[in-house]
């Protein structure tokens, strides 16, 4: 009995320790291991948002850049931050594994943060202070100063490329899909993961931005750098408790093989029986701890990669499971595209929303609110909504839908998309009101501060946090959940890619709209003087864009087919192996009798 219990204690999902040995469920993984990962994320988010939340104001006030240029520099950098995870996911899945990729990347991350702190601390690495109302009259930063500052920022971006796609995946890997209790815990993991992210973000958007605005940038950047060092040490301290997955090879190569093989055999007819397609032996899948996937009719053309033509060249013949893994990654691309526009809206939080705040009255008594601190309300709103969703909404809705998640991931994303339309409509109306007050008080030309409290911007920040609780949490879980087991890091990187492209799209739209609206002698929608600008038109344009994007999303989800649960696949595989072994045993017995 003790032996059976010992065998049952081993994980069934193929996870191992760093030496490649099978691990016991009671010794590694679960919430114990996740606690180190989650605590790391709190500090890391504190570090990242300690830089990004107030970056537009540093570029404006210290490096003397204009509205469009500073906003675009922020979104281009943030876009790079969210795009580099594709490279990190590739290195993890194909070569180093998630743990070692994360460890090496975190060292680069710390280096970038340290250089950034030095660049804002040493007087020779920034232009002299300037108090001119018109930024164009201030001395610009030199090439060396810009190279040092942006070199540090992009070194940091390379580091996050290896940490972002792997840290959340490492956390999710600590739960065994084939153990009922752990599988149930995994359903809540991503909600609490986002909770930890925004807890760190809240500290950055309140305490750190206040320090940067009122104490100094050296301390304001030094504290998140120290926090990052502590977070890496915490993560490393949890090493004895982690479960790991062995690198399964480059997902890009696997997908390329399927696409090339199918293309080369485009004239070859498909067999009527899917069982005639090429597939590896069940024993091989069971021996390697991999999951077999049956052939599906979606993206039928790719099935040609598994048609047997006599060649065993991997660029001419793929197993059905490999074909289906490729399909799973390709099926998610239309959903990924639908998340680009809301990601563009998120980019406005740390750029135009913050710039709006600088034109409003920020005093509460003798206390002056940093404009970037309003982003803290995004965090608070998100934290409250995630808790309410996980503890109240899901249990109630689950009784009606019989879905463990309450509603499907795509339905949750859809609610978030609707909220993004509402956000930009509210932002447009609020900005129109702000501009009318500027006209009434004769503050249009001089760009002076309006006699309006900064809290008139509060609704758009609160709504953004509510939207995140639906869209961003569901997006992260969707791309992880729907990715094949051997491509989880790549699947997770889809989520960060969405934010990256959204930020680049924000830079493109801001520059394009600014340029087009200033042609033929017009003043334009986006100027350095926001009181002369027309951000209300720009936000209305975003509202229309969100509406059109929602229609696109609804059209795409009609064709989406969720992948089968891997635990179900493993159950089927186990049962088929039992039948095969029983048949083999009976055949041997029959031969013995004969």
């Amino acid at each position: 009995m003790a032996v059976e219990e010992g065998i049952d204690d081993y994980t069934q999902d193929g996870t191992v320790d760093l030496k490649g040995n099978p691990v016991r469920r009671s010794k590694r993984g679960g919430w114990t291991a996740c606690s180190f990962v989650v605590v790391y994320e709190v500090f890391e988010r504190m570090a990242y948002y300690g830089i990004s939340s107030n970056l537009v104001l540093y570029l404006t006030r210290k490096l003397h850049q204009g509205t469009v240029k500073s906003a675009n520099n922020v979104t281009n950098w943030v876009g790079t931050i969210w795009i580099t995870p594709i490279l990190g996911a590739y290195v993890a899945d194909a070569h180093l594994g998630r743990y070692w990729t994360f460890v090496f990347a975190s060292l680069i991350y710390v280096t970038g943060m340290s250089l950034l702190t030095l660049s804002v601390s040493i007087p020779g690495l920034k232009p002299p202070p300037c108090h001119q109302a018109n930024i164009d009259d201030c001395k610009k930063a030199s090439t060396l100063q810009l190279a040092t500052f942006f070199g540090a920022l992009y070194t940091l971006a390379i580091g996050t490329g290896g940490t972002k796609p792997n840290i959340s995946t490492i956390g999710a890997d600590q739960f065994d899909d084939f153990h009922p209790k752990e599988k149930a815990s995994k359903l809540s993991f991503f909600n609490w993961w986002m909770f930890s992210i925004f807890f760190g973000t809240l500290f950055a958007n309140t305490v750190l931005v206040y320090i940067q605005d009122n104490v100094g940038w050296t301390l304001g950047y030094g504290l998140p750098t120290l926090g990052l060092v502590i977070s890496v040490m915490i993560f490393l301290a949890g090493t004895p408790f982690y479960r790991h997955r062995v690198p399964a090879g480059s997902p890009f190569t696997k997908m390329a093989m399927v696409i090339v093989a199918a293309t080369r055999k485009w004239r070859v007819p498909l067999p009527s029986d899917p069982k005639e397609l090429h597939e590896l032996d069940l024993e091989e899948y069971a021996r390697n701890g991999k999951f077999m996937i049956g052939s599906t009719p979606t993206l039928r053309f790719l099935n040609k990669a598994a048609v047997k033509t006599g060649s065993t060249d991997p660029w001419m013949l793929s197993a059905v499971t490999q074909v289906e893994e490729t399909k799973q990654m390709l099926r998610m691309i239309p959903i990924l595209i639908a998340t680009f526009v809301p990601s563009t809206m998120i980019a406005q939080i740390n750029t135009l929303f913050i710039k709006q705040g600088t034109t409003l009255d920020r005093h509460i008594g003798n206390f002056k609110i940093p404009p970037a601190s309003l982003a803290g309300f995004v965090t608070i709103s998100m934290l409250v909504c995630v808790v309410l969703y996980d503890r109240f909404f899901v249990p109630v809705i689950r009784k009606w839908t019989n879905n463990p998640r309450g509603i499907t991931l795509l339905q949750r994303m859809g609610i978030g998309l609707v909220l993004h339309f509402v956000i930009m409509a509210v932002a447009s109306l609020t900005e129109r009101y702000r501009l009318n007050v500027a006209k009434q008080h004769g503050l249009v030309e001089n760009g002076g501060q309006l006699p309006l409290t900064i809290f008139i911007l509060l609704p758009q920040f609160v709504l953004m946090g509510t939207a995140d609780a639906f869209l961003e949490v569901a997006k992260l879980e969707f791309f992880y959940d729907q990715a094949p087991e051997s491509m989880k890091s790549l699947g997770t990187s889809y989520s960060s890619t969405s934010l990256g492209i959204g930020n680049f799209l924000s830079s493109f739209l801001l520059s394009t709209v600014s340029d087009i609206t200033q042609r033929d002698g017009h003043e334009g929608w986006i100027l350095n003087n926001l009181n002369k600008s027309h951000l209300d038109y720009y936000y209305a344009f975003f509202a229309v864009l969100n509406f059109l994007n929602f229609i696109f999303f609804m059209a795409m989800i009609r064709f989406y087919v969720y992948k089968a649960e891997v635990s179900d696949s493993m159950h089927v595989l186990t049962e088929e192996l039992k039948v095969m072994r029983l048949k083999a045993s009976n055949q041997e017995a029959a031969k013995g009798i004969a």
Side-chain angles (χ1 to χ4, degrees):
M1 183 68 177
V3 174
E4 291 180 357
E5 289 178 353
I7 293 174
D8 291 341
D9 189 36
Y10 283 101
T11 58
Q12 302 175 47
D13 59 354
T15 50
V16 296
D17 62 18
L18 280 176
K19 295 181 179 179
N21 301 315
V23 296
R24 288 183 182 275
R25 187 177 293 108
S26 59
K27 300 294 183 182
R28 289 174 177 260
W31 286 110
T32 300
C34 276
S35 63
F36 292 92
V37 177
V38 169
V39 170
Y40 161 83
E41 190 64 10
V42 172
F43 280 93
E44 191 278 333
R45 292 294 84 187
M46 194 184 302
Y48 168 68
Y49 283 102
I51 302 301
S52 64
S53 295
N54 231 7
L55 183 57
V56 69
L57 295 189
Y58 184 85
L59 294 175
T60 302
R61 295 173 177 175
K62 300 300 179 179
L63 297 187
H64 311 147
Q65 296 185 348
T67 298
V68 174
K69 188 173 184 179
S70 60
N72 282 350
N73 276 330
V74 172
T75 50
N76 286 337
W77 174 69
V78 174
T80 304
I81 284 278
W82 292 109
I83 285 291
T84 51
I86 296 178
L87 178 61
Y90 165 76
V91 173
D93 284 339
H95 301 290
L96 297 180
R98 291 160 193 164
Y99 176 85
W100 288 115
T101 301
F102 173 85
V103 170
F104 292 133
S106 65
L107 297 179
I108 299 175
Y109 196 165
V110 169
T111 300
M113 288 290 292
S114 301
L115 290 173
L116 193 63
T117 303
L118 289 175
S119 72
V120 302
S121 304
I122 300 173
L125 293 178
K126 51 188 176 182
C130 177
H131 303 288
Q132 297 291 331
N134 186 356
I135 291 177
D136 293 333
D137 296 333
C138 296
K139 183 178 180 180
K140 303 300 180 184
S142 68
T143 302
L144 175 62
Q145 292 166 342
L146 291 175
T148 303
F149 185 78
F150 285 104
L153 280 179
Y154 282 92
T155 298
L156 188 160
I158 293 172
T160 57
T163 59
K164 282 184 184 296
N166 293 305
I167 188 63
S168 60
T169 314
I170 288 172
D173 286 345
Q174 306 311 308
F175 299 100
D176 188 348
D177 274 317
F178 309 112
H179 188 269
K181 186 176 180 180
E182 290 197 11
K183 185 177 181 179
S185 296
K186 191 172 184 177
L187 294 178
S188 294
F189 168 73
F190 285 103
N191 284 332
W192 293 106
W193 176 256
M194 292 299 289
F195 185 96
S196 71
I197 287 176
F198 282 89
F199 187 81
T201 306
L202 179 60
F203 182 86
N205 289 335
T206 52
V207 177
L208 289 181
V209 297
Y210 177 82
I211 291 173
Q212 290 165 1
D213 275 16
N214 297 279
V215 180
W217 293 92
T218 299
L219 184 61
Y221 277 15
L223 284 177
T225 300
L226 178 61
L228 181 65
V229 173
I230 293 173
S231 70
V232 173
M233 293 172 64
I234 290 172
F235 175 83
L236 293 175
T239 299
F241 301 99
Y242 299 145
R243 301 172 187 171
H244 306 276
R245 290 190 182 277
V246 178
S250 168
F252 297 110
T253 302
K254 291 180 181 179
M255 295 169 64
M257 285 178 174
V258 171
I259 295 171
V260 170
T263 303
R264 293 172 71 178
K265 294 188 288 187
W266 68 279
R267 291 184 176 179
V268 176
L270 285 168
S272 56
D273 186 358
K275 292 183 178 179
E276 295 180 23
L277 297 172
H278 172 65
E279 183 55 289
L280 303 178
D281 294 333
L282 291 173
E283 292 281 0
E284 185 167 344
Y285 283 110
R287 183 170 58 253
N288 295 325
K290 295 183 179 180
F291 309 100
M292 185 182 219
I293 308 174
S295 180
T296 62
T298 59
L299 297 175
R300 186 177 172 82
F301 171 77
L302 294 179
N303 288 347
K304 293 184 180 239
V307 175
K308 301 173 185 176
T309 58
S311 173
T312 58
D313 182 350
W315 292 92
M316 275 294 290
L317 183 65
S318 302
V320 169
T321 295
Q322 185 177 340
V323 172
E324 293 303 318
E325 288 175 340
T326 302
K327 288 183 183 181
Q328 287 171 11
M329 296 305 297
L330 294 179
R331 277 202 301 261
M332 292 192 292
I333 290 179
I335 307 300
L336 172 64
I337 293 172
T339 64
F340 293 165
V341 170
S343 292
T344 304
M345 306 305 108
I346 293 173
Q348 310 315 306
I349 296 175
N350 293 330
T351 52
L352 295 182
F353 283 10
I354 301 301
K355 291 288 290 182
Q356 281 178 283
T358 62
T359 69
L360 301 169
D361 182 10
R362 295 180 277 131
H363 288 89
I364 300 180
N366 293 325
F367 179 75
K368 193 173 184 180
I369 303 170
S373 66
L374 276 192
F377 287 98
V378 177
T379 305
I380 294 171
S381 174
M382 198 275 180
L383 292 177
V384 171
C385 289
V386 164
V387 173
L388 293 177
Y389 184 89
D390 193 61
R391 294 303 180 190
F392 298 100
F393 179 80
V394 172
V396 171
I397 299 299
R398 184 169 20 195
K399 295 177 182 179
W400 295 344
T401 63
N402 293 320
N403 186 322
R405 293 185 174 92
I407 57 178
T408 68
L409 293 173
L410 290 176
Q411 287 172 337
R412 186 173 179 178
M413 290 172 67
I415 294 173
L417 292 177
V418 171
L419 287 173
H420 273 284
F421 167 76
V422 175
I423 290 166
M424 299 320 296
V426 169
S428 178
L429 293 173
T430 301
E431 177 63 7
R432 177 170 295 185
Y433 174 65
R434 191 190 71 81
L435 292 175
N436 285 335
V437 171
K439 291 177 183 177
Q440 292 169 10
H441 290 81
L443 298 171
V444 174
E445 294 300 327
N446 63 14
Q449 187 179 89
L450 278 62
L452 274 177
T453 175
I454 192 173
F455 289 111
I456 66 165
L457 301 178
L458 194 58
Q460 61 204 56
F461 282 93
V462 171
L463 285 171
M464 191 68 79
T466 305
D468 283 349
F470 285 92
L471 179 59
E472 293 307 305
V473 176
K475 184 173 72 175
L476 179 61
E477 186 174 357
F478 174 81
F479 290 129
Y480 174 87
D481 182 77
Q482 294 297 295
E485 294 304 304
S486 62
M487 301 181 183
K488 289 296 187 187
S489 292
L490 179 60
T492 304
S493 74
Y494 272 22
S495 181
S496 60
T497 298
S498 163
L499 291 169
I501 293 179
N503 274 273
F504 287 129
L505 186 58
S506 176
S507 295
F508 170 76
L509 290 174
L510 187 64
S511 296
T512 303
V513 170
S514 176
D515 179 60
I516 291 175
T517 57
Q518 290 186 68
R519 292 176 182 174
D520 300 325
H522 294 93
E523 288 191 335
W525 288 3
I526 305 140
L527 307 171
N528 290 339
N529 180 355
L530 290 191
N531 292 352
K532 292 181 65 177
S533 302
H534 267 296
L535 289 184
D536 54 337
Y537 296 166
Y538 191 55
Y539 291 158
F541 164 68
F542 275 162
V544 173
L545 203 58
N546 274 286
F547 177 74
L548 296 175
N549 184 67
F550 178 72
I551 294 175
F552 171 76
F553 175 79
M554 294 300 293
M556 291 302 100
I557 64 174
R558 291 187 60 186
F559 303 100
Y560 189 80
V561 179
Y562 287 92
K563 79 179 182 72
E565 292 283 347
V566 295
S567 52
D568 297 337
S569 300
M570 184 58 98
H571 176 72
V572 171
L573 174 59
T574 303
E575 292 302 315
E576 289 186 5
L577 281 172
K578 286 180 180 178
V579 172
M580 285 181 60
R581 288 165 181 163
L582 181 61
K583 287 181 179 179
S585 178
N586 290 339
Q587 289 175 356
E588 290 296 327
K591 290 179 181 178
I593 295 174

